Every structure is written in structure tokens, then in C-alpha cells.
Amino acid sequence: MTVVKTSVIVLDCADPEPLARFYADLLGATAGPAADDGDLFLVTGRAGVLLGIRRDPQHTPPTWPLPEGSQQVHLRILVAQDSLDEAEREAVALGARPVAAEEDGTRPDKRTTLRRYADPAGHAFVLASVRSAGG
């Protein structure tokens, strides 16, 4: 029998608390310090921990999308097709920096269905539209 496990992506940055608040606000979750690690903040939603943000004073932010830069890890945040524009406005209002948009022309209004951003600490994330179960 396999031991029950769970996993979470952990992003490194120099100052984890503001970045944890950014993702908590973006994902409709909460953020707080981990009970056993003062350098780790956890972003927690209804289903449990969604993301960890860890303090690394020597962290070098990614330089993506520059060709010589590394994207490192990135998050793909799935959004209903009819909510993508609103999710984009929320992300930018919270401090996300738009980087690129792809798959032009696949929506009836010719807007993109995949939008790339850098979070306030420079990590890449994507807002990607998904069809609802009924559509």
C-alpha cells in the first residue's frame, strides 16, 4: 500500500509574504506562515495548500521571456473562457506584468486564450481559458 502524499510547488523569492498575498488574492485563497518554517508562506484554498512561497535572500528572479533567460517553473491558472478578461484585469490590478498572449483568433472576439505574465517577483504564470463542462 502506498503512503498518502501530497505535493505543492514552492516558489523562491527574497520577500515571501507579499508574493504569498499576491497569489492568495489572485486565487481567492489565504496566505500565512508555515507552522514549522519561518521562511515559508503557504497559500491555502478550500481544497488545501495550493502553493508555497519560500524566502531565499540570494534568489535571482527569472529573466524570462528574454531568450537567454530561464523561465524556471511556471504556474498555469485555469479560468472559464467567459471569465478570462476579468481574470486578466484582476491579475494586473494585483501587480502582474503582462508578458505575452498566444493563440490569437481562437475566441469569437479574436482575443487570446492563453496569456502570460510575470508575478511581482518575476516568476512566470499563465492564465489559460478552459471550456466549462457544459460547453
Side-chain angles (χ1 to χ4, degrees), residues 42-54:
L42 299 175
V43 178
T44 306
R46 289 179 295 206
V49 176
L50 303 170
L51 182 65
I53 311 291
R54 185 182 141 286

Side-chain angles (χ1 to χ4, degrees), residues 12-69:
D12 291 344
C13 67
D15 189 7
E17 188 172 3
L19 190 60
R21 281 196 312 267
F22 166 82
Y23 278 108
D25 290 345
L26 183 63
L27 298 171
T30 61
D36 58 347
D37 185 344
D39 288 331
L40 178 66
F41 279 75
L42 299 175
V43 178
T44 306
R46 289 179 295 206
V49 176
L50 303 170
L51 182 65
I53 311 291
R54 185 182 141 286
R55 181 183 325 277
D56 177 359
Q58 278 74 50
H59 176 70
T60 301
T63 56
W64 180 89
L66 298 176
E68 64 277 2

Side-chain angles (χ1 to χ4, degrees), residues 40-107:
L40 178 66
F41 279 75
L42 299 175
V43 178
T44 306
R46 289 179 295 206
V49 176
L50 303 170
L51 182 65
I53 311 291
R54 185 182 141 286
R55 181 183 325 277
D56 177 359
Q58 278 74 50
H59 176 70
T60 301
T63 56
W64 180 89
L66 298 176
E68 64 277 2
S70 167
Q71 180 174 342
Q72 298 177 7
V73 67
H74 76 276
L75 301 174
R76 181 172 288 246
I77 300 171
L78 305 176
V79 180
Q81 281 182 329
D82 60 352
S83 298
L84 186 60
D85 292 338
E86 183 178 351
E88 177 178 48
R89 287 188 294 273
E90 289 175 356
V92 171
L94 291 168
R97 181 176 47 85
V99 176
E102 298 174 13
E103 301 180 18
D104 287 315
T106 56
R107 290 180 10 159

